[in-house]
Amino acid sequence: MNEERQIMQMLLTLIKGLMKVRDGELLSPALDEGHNMLIKIARSAGVTPPADLVALCAWLTTPCCEWGIEGVTALFKDRLYDWYGGISLEAEEFLDIYVSPGESDQKVMAEIVAYCREKYPVNKQYQQYYSDIRSFVTNPENAIIEKYKLVSFQAAIRDVTLGALFLRLYEEFPKSKNNYRRCSHCGWTMTYAKGRWQCHSRTCNKEANTTNLEELPTNATHRLLPGIHRFTLVPGLTQQNLATRLRRYGYKVEMYPEVDKYDLRVWAGEAEINLDVKEYNNPQHLVEYIKKEYERHLAGESKFIDHCYIVIPSHLTDRRSGYLSQVKKELKGKSKIVKVIAE
């Protein structure tokens, strides 16, 4: 195994281990394996590695570009772990790009997409089922929910298998409700650290009202899985807002056409435009995602790239100057096929 692949495997293993810790498995074998890989790679680079779990956690809150390991910096520059929020957003994005959905929280949503696409050609009702599920989990009121509402929505899905998959998008609260508040922007759980309540989404931390925060309802029993919150609910807010604005201007909009082939399909007269919103905090991660899709396109495995515009939410381009120009510069030579625009 070459050095780059060893470092990639180490980073992915550490992130998977942190996911297990987040889920309550404090002595995660994956985290221990990643630690051992880090020790070996660090020593090869002449760097003193963290000696134990406490030192490792402190190490992982340091940006990778400060580890002193050149090969790591080439792949990932940000921190893997935030004391207040667990896995960093950049680490989740990195995992999203380089592992299959079956290895992450998104595996259930991937199963729902696959199941509905399989049924859709002979029963168009599955387009509606899928749209209803996406709309439900994108609604902030349903980010934290009582069991009877989950079961009621499940009962409206006239497919036992699909209804069971829907329930798996949620988890019971892992800790006491007193440890959380409800985010006023996305509706998910906030945790207290560094003197304030914080959501796992940076967008929320910018947009949310952090005064007079709502405590969790006493009858609430479940919340969305962290990965569904990060990669379905939060981007879904942007998608819904974009659809609302386009309809206000008189455009016809369909959400999640052809069972999520795109996020939005927009008609301007006879013209049909497909939009896909990508909410990567790190522009380099968006570039890597697009490059993978571009290679699939060249191999004839995907018609995604040349049939839609990739939309970067305005809150990302506003917060990070040069976001769009960096992406376009990295994709130079592919611009005739890859179309990237700001919201």
Side-chain angles (χ1 to χ4, degrees), residues 46 70 72 80 107 110 114 132 201 216 236 261-262 266 280 283 298 309 321 325:
E70 185 176 347
V72 172
L80 295 179
K107 62 184 177 183
D132 289 346
S201 165
L216 301 193
K261 186 173 183 180
Y262 310 102
V266 184
Y280 287 101
L298 294 180
Y309 288 85
S321 177
S325 59

Side-chain angles (χ1 to χ4, degrees), residues 49-63:
D52 52 35
L53 182 60
V54 174
L56 175 65
C57 290
W59 176 287
L60 297 180
T61 63
T62 304

Side-chain angles (χ1 to χ4, degrees), residues 233-243 245 277 279 313 315 343:
L233 169 57
V234 174
L237 297 176
T238 301
Q239 295 158 10
Q240 295 284 357
N241 290 336
L242 182 56
R245 295 208 312 273
V277 178
E279 192 147 343
H315 65 82
E343 182 182 356

